[in-house]
Short mmCIF file of all heavy atoms in Angstrom, two decimals:
data_model
loop_
_atom_site.label_atom_id
_atom_site.label_comp_id
_atom_site.label_asym_id
_atom_site.label_seq_id
_atom_site.Cartn_x
_atom_site.Cartn_y
_atom_site.Cartn_z
N VAL X 171 9.94 -50.05 25.13
CA VAL X 171 10.45 -51.23 24.44
C VAL X 171 11.36 -51.99 25.40
O VAL X 171 12.23 -51.39 26.05
CB VAL X 171 11.24 -50.83 23.18
CG1 VAL X 171 11.96 -52.03 22.58
CG2 VAL X 171 10.31 -50.20 22.15
N GLU X 172 11.15 -53.27 25.47
CA GLU X 172 12.02 -54.15 26.26
C GLU X 172 12.84 -55.01 25.31
O GLU X 172 12.28 -55.72 24.46
CB GLU X 172 11.17 -55.03 27.18
CG GLU X 172 11.99 -55.98 28.03
CD GLU X 172 11.13 -56.93 28.86
OE1 GLU X 172 9.89 -56.87 28.72
OE2 GLU X 172 11.69 -57.72 29.62
N TYR X 173 14.16 -54.96 25.44
CA TYR X 173 15.03 -55.81 24.64
C TYR X 173 15.07 -57.21 25.25
O TYR X 173 15.29 -57.37 26.46
CB TYR X 173 16.45 -55.25 24.60
CG TYR X 173 16.62 -53.97 23.81
CD1 TYR X 173 17.60 -53.05 24.17
CD2 TYR X 173 15.83 -53.68 22.69
CE1 TYR X 173 17.79 -51.87 23.46
CE2 TYR X 173 16.01 -52.52 21.98
CZ TYR X 173 16.98 -51.61 22.36
OH TYR X 173 17.16 -50.46 21.64
N LEU X 174 14.90 -58.21 24.39
CA LEU X 174 14.83 -59.60 24.85
C LEU X 174 15.96 -60.43 24.23
O LEU X 174 16.21 -60.33 23.03
CB LEU X 174 13.49 -60.24 24.44
CG LEU X 174 12.21 -59.54 24.90
CD1 LEU X 174 11.00 -60.26 24.31
CD2 LEU X 174 12.12 -59.48 26.41
N VAL X 175 16.59 -61.27 25.04
CA VAL X 175 17.58 -62.22 24.51
C VAL X 175 16.93 -63.56 24.22
O VAL X 175 17.55 -64.44 23.63
CB VAL X 175 18.76 -62.40 25.49
CG1 VAL X 175 19.49 -61.08 25.68
CG2 VAL X 175 18.30 -62.95 26.84
N LYS X 176 15.67 -63.71 24.60
CA LYS X 176 14.89 -64.91 24.29
C LYS X 176 13.45 -64.48 24.07
O LYS X 176 12.89 -63.71 24.85
CB LYS X 176 14.98 -65.92 25.45
CG LYS X 176 14.29 -67.23 25.17
CD LYS X 176 14.66 -68.29 26.22
CE LYS X 176 14.10 -67.94 27.59
NZ LYS X 176 14.30 -69.03 28.57
N ASP X 177 12.86 -64.96 23.01
CA ASP X 177 11.50 -64.55 22.65
C ASP X 177 10.49 -65.00 23.70
O ASP X 177 10.65 -66.04 24.33
CB ASP X 177 11.14 -65.16 21.29
CG ASP X 177 9.85 -64.61 20.70
OD1 ASP X 177 9.41 -63.53 21.13
OD2 ASP X 177 9.30 -65.27 19.79
N ARG X 178 9.46 -64.19 23.90
CA ARG X 178 8.30 -64.61 24.67
C ARG X 178 7.06 -63.93 24.10
O ARG X 178 7.16 -62.86 23.50
CB ARG X 178 8.48 -64.32 26.15
CG ARG X 178 8.44 -62.88 26.58
CD ARG X 178 8.53 -62.78 28.11
NE ARG X 178 8.26 -61.42 28.55
CZ ARG X 178 9.19 -60.51 28.80
NH1 ARG X 178 10.47 -60.81 28.62
NH2 ARG X 178 8.85 -59.31 29.21
N ARG X 179 5.92 -64.54 24.30
CA ARG X 179 4.69 -64.07 23.68
C ARG X 179 4.16 -62.81 24.37
O ARG X 179 4.26 -62.67 25.59
CB ARG X 179 3.62 -65.16 23.72
CG ARG X 179 3.96 -66.38 22.88
CD ARG X 179 2.84 -67.40 22.93
NE ARG X 179 3.21 -68.63 22.26
CZ ARG X 179 3.03 -68.86 20.96
NH1 ARG X 179 2.47 -67.93 20.20
NH2 ARG X 179 3.39 -70.00 20.41
N GLY X 180 3.54 -61.92 23.57
CA GLY X 180 2.87 -60.75 24.09
C GLY X 180 1.40 -61.04 24.38
O GLY X 180 0.97 -62.20 24.46
N PHE X 181 0.61 -59.97 24.51
CA PHE X 181 -0.78 -60.08 24.97
C PHE X 181 -1.61 -61.00 24.07
O PHE X 181 -2.19 -61.98 24.54
CB PHE X 181 -1.40 -58.68 25.02
CG PHE X 181 -2.83 -58.67 25.50
CD1 PHE X 181 -3.11 -58.55 26.84
CD2 PHE X 181 -3.89 -58.76 24.60
CE1 PHE X 181 -4.43 -58.54 27.29
CE2 PHE X 181 -5.21 -58.75 25.04
CZ PHE X 181 -5.48 -58.64 26.39
N TRP X 182 -1.72 -60.68 22.77
CA TRP X 182 -2.56 -61.49 21.89
C TRP X 182 -1.90 -62.81 21.53
O TRP X 182 -2.59 -63.81 21.28
CB TRP X 182 -2.94 -60.72 20.63
CG TRP X 182 -3.97 -59.67 20.87
CD1 TRP X 182 -3.83 -58.32 20.73
CD2 TRP X 182 -5.31 -59.88 21.35
NE1 TRP X 182 -4.98 -57.67 21.08
CE2 TRP X 182 -5.92 -58.60 21.46
CE3 TRP X 182 -6.05 -61.00 21.68
CZ2 TRP X 182 -7.23 -58.44 21.90
CZ3 TRP X 182 -7.36 -60.84 22.12
CH2 TRP X 182 -7.93 -59.57 22.22
N GLU X 183 -0.57 -62.84 21.53
CA GLU X 183 0.12 -64.09 21.23
C GLU X 183 -0.15 -65.13 22.33
O GLU X 183 -0.26 -66.32 22.05
CB GLU X 183 1.63 -63.83 21.10
CG GLU X 183 2.02 -62.97 19.92
CD GLU X 183 1.82 -61.47 20.14
OE1 GLU X 183 1.64 -61.06 21.31
OE2 GLU X 183 1.85 -60.72 19.15
N GLU X 184 -0.28 -64.67 23.57
CA GLU X 184 -0.64 -65.58 24.67
C GLU X 184 -2.08 -66.07 24.56
O GLU X 184 -2.45 -67.05 25.21
CB GLU X 184 -0.45 -64.88 26.02
CG GLU X 184 1.00 -64.67 26.42
CD GLU X 184 1.13 -64.02 27.77
OE1 GLU X 184 0.19 -63.29 28.17
OE2 GLU X 184 2.16 -64.24 28.44
N ARG X 185 -2.88 -65.37 23.76
CA ARG X 185 -4.31 -65.69 23.65
C ARG X 185 -4.65 -66.34 22.32
O ARG X 185 -5.79 -66.30 21.88
CB ARG X 185 -5.14 -64.41 23.88
CG ARG X 185 -5.10 -63.97 25.34
CD ARG X 185 -5.46 -62.51 25.53
NE ARG X 185 -5.54 -62.17 26.95
CZ ARG X 185 -4.48 -61.94 27.74
NH1 ARG X 185 -3.26 -62.02 27.23
NH2 ARG X 185 -4.64 -61.65 29.01
N GLY X 186 -3.66 -66.94 21.69
CA GLY X 186 -3.94 -67.79 20.53
C GLY X 186 -3.61 -67.21 19.18
O GLY X 186 -3.91 -67.84 18.16
N TYR X 187 -2.99 -66.01 19.13
CA TYR X 187 -2.61 -65.44 17.84
C TYR X 187 -1.17 -65.80 17.49
O TYR X 187 -0.34 -66.07 18.37
CB TYR X 187 -2.82 -63.92 17.85
CG TYR X 187 -4.27 -63.55 17.68
CD1 TYR X 187 -5.15 -63.59 18.76
CD2 TYR X 187 -4.78 -63.23 16.43
CE1 TYR X 187 -6.49 -63.28 18.61
CE2 TYR X 187 -6.12 -62.93 16.26
CZ TYR X 187 -6.97 -62.96 17.35
OH TYR X 187 -8.30 -62.67 17.20
N HIS X 188 -0.88 -65.80 16.21
CA HIS X 188 0.40 -66.27 15.69
C HIS X 188 1.56 -65.43 16.22
O HIS X 188 1.46 -64.21 16.33
CB HIS X 188 0.38 -66.22 14.16
CG HIS X 188 1.41 -67.07 13.51
ND1 HIS X 188 2.74 -66.72 13.46
CD2 HIS X 188 1.31 -68.27 12.87
CE1 HIS X 188 3.41 -67.66 12.81
NE2 HIS X 188 2.58 -68.61 12.45
N ASN X 189 2.66 -66.10 16.52
CA ASN X 189 3.79 -65.41 17.11
C ASN X 189 4.48 -64.45 16.15
O ASN X 189 5.05 -63.45 16.57
CB ASN X 189 4.80 -66.43 17.64
CG ASN X 189 5.76 -65.84 18.65
OD1 ASN X 189 5.34 -65.22 19.62
ND2 ASN X 189 7.05 -66.02 18.42
N VAL X 190 4.44 -64.75 14.84
CA VAL X 190 5.15 -63.93 13.84
C VAL X 190 4.21 -62.92 13.19
O VAL X 190 4.50 -61.75 13.09
CB VAL X 190 5.84 -64.81 12.79
CG1 VAL X 190 6.50 -63.94 11.71
CG2 VAL X 190 6.86 -65.73 13.45
N ALA X 191 3.06 -63.41 12.64
CA ALA X 191 2.00 -62.53 12.12
C ALA X 191 2.27 -61.95 10.74
O ALA X 191 1.97 -60.78 10.47
CB ALA X 191 1.69 -61.40 13.10
N ASP X 192 2.78 -62.76 9.82
CA ASP X 192 2.98 -62.33 8.44
C ASP X 192 1.67 -62.45 7.67
O ASP X 192 1.16 -63.55 7.47
CB ASP X 192 4.05 -63.20 7.78
CG ASP X 192 4.27 -62.89 6.31
OD1 ASP X 192 3.72 -61.87 5.82
OD2 ASP X 192 4.96 -63.67 5.63
N PRO X 193 1.09 -61.33 7.20
CA PRO X 193 -0.21 -61.41 6.50
C PRO X 193 -0.13 -62.11 5.15
O PRO X 193 -1.11 -62.68 4.69
CB PRO X 193 -0.63 -59.95 6.35
CG PRO X 193 0.62 -59.16 6.44
CD PRO X 193 1.53 -59.93 7.35
N TRP X 194 1.02 -62.06 4.50
CA TRP X 194 1.15 -62.68 3.18
C TRP X 194 1.16 -64.20 3.29
O TRP X 194 0.84 -64.90 2.32
CB TRP X 194 2.39 -62.16 2.46
CG TRP X 194 2.26 -60.70 2.20
CD1 TRP X 194 2.75 -59.68 2.96
CD2 TRP X 194 1.53 -60.08 1.13
NE1 TRP X 194 2.39 -58.46 2.43
CE2 TRP X 194 1.64 -58.68 1.31
CE3 TRP X 194 0.81 -60.57 0.04
CZ2 TRP X 194 1.06 -57.77 0.43
CZ3 TRP X 194 0.22 -59.66 -0.83
CH2 TRP X 194 0.35 -58.29 -0.63
N SER X 195 1.49 -64.72 4.47
CA SER X 195 1.42 -66.16 4.73
C SER X 195 0.20 -66.53 5.56
O SER X 195 0.06 -67.68 5.98
CB SER X 195 2.69 -66.62 5.46
OG SER X 195 3.84 -66.38 4.68
N GLU X 196 -0.69 -65.56 5.80
CA GLU X 196 -1.89 -65.74 6.63
C GLU X 196 -1.56 -66.36 7.98
O GLU X 196 -2.24 -67.29 8.43
CB GLU X 196 -2.94 -66.56 5.89
CG GLU X 196 -3.70 -65.77 4.84
CD GLU X 196 -5.04 -66.38 4.51
OE1 GLU X 196 -5.08 -67.25 3.63
OE2 GLU X 196 -6.06 -65.98 5.13
N GLN X 197 -0.57 -65.82 8.65
CA GLN X 197 -0.19 -66.31 9.97
C GLN X 197 -1.06 -65.66 11.03
O GLN X 197 -0.63 -64.76 11.76
CB GLN X 197 1.30 -66.04 10.22
CG GLN X 197 2.22 -66.83 9.31
CD GLN X 197 3.67 -66.47 9.50
OE1 GLN X 197 4.01 -65.38 9.98
NE2 GLN X 197 4.56 -67.37 9.12
N ARG X 198 -2.28 -66.13 11.11
CA ARG X 198 -3.27 -65.51 12.00
C ARG X 198 -3.25 -66.12 13.41
O ARG X 198 -3.37 -65.39 14.40
CB ARG X 198 -4.67 -65.63 11.41
CG ARG X 198 -4.82 -64.96 10.05
CD ARG X 198 -6.24 -65.13 9.48
NE ARG X 198 -6.32 -64.69 8.09
CZ ARG X 198 -6.55 -63.44 7.71
NH1 ARG X 198 -6.76 -62.51 8.61
NH2 ARG X 198 -6.61 -63.14 6.43
N TYR X 199 -3.14 -67.44 13.53
CA TYR X 199 -3.37 -68.12 14.80
C TYR X 199 -2.20 -69.01 15.18
O TYR X 199 -1.46 -69.51 14.32
CB TYR X 199 -4.67 -68.93 14.73
CG TYR X 199 -5.85 -68.09 14.33
CD1 TYR X 199 -6.46 -68.26 13.10
CD2 TYR X 199 -6.33 -67.08 15.18
CE1 TYR X 199 -7.53 -67.47 12.71
CE2 TYR X 199 -7.40 -66.28 14.81
CZ TYR X 199 -8.00 -66.48 13.58
OH TYR X 199 -9.05 -65.69 13.20
N SER X 200 -2.07 -69.27 16.48
CA SER X 200 -0.90 -70.01 16.97
C SER X 200 -0.88 -71.45 16.46
O SER X 200 0.20 -72.03 16.32
CB SER X 200 -0.88 -69.99 18.51
OG SER X 200 -2.06 -70.53 19.05
N TYR X 201 -2.04 -72.04 16.18
CA TYR X 201 -2.03 -73.42 15.69
C TYR X 201 -1.38 -73.54 14.31
O TYR X 201 -1.03 -74.65 13.88
CB TYR X 201 -3.44 -74.02 15.68
CG TYR X 201 -4.37 -73.46 14.62
CD1 TYR X 201 -4.32 -73.90 13.29
CD2 TYR X 201 -5.32 -72.50 14.95
CE1 TYR X 201 -5.18 -73.39 12.33
CE2 TYR X 201 -6.17 -71.98 14.00
CZ TYR X 201 -6.10 -72.43 12.69
OH TYR X 201 -6.95 -71.92 11.74
N GLN X 202 -1.19 -72.40 13.62
CA GLN X 202 -0.55 -72.41 12.31
C GLN X 202 0.98 -72.32 12.41
O GLN X 202 1.65 -72.38 11.39
CB GLN X 202 -1.06 -71.24 11.47
CG GLN X 202 -2.56 -71.25 11.22
CD GLN X 202 -3.04 -69.94 10.62
OE1 GLN X 202 -2.82 -68.87 11.18
NE2 GLN X 202 -3.68 -70.02 9.46
#
Side-chain angles (χ1 to χ4, degrees):
V171 171
E172 179 184 3
Y173 290 150
L174 304 176
V175 298
K176 185 168 67 173
D177 190 19
R178 70 176 190 264
R179 295 181 186 272
F181 181 89
W182 286 116
E183 294 80 15
E184 288 182 333
R185 289 159 174 78
Y187 282 81
H188 199 285
N189 199 52
V190 177
D192 176 10
W194 296 96
S195 299
E196 283 202 273
Q197 293 176 337
R198 300 179 190 273
Y199 305 111
S200 58
Y201 71 81
Q202 300 169 304

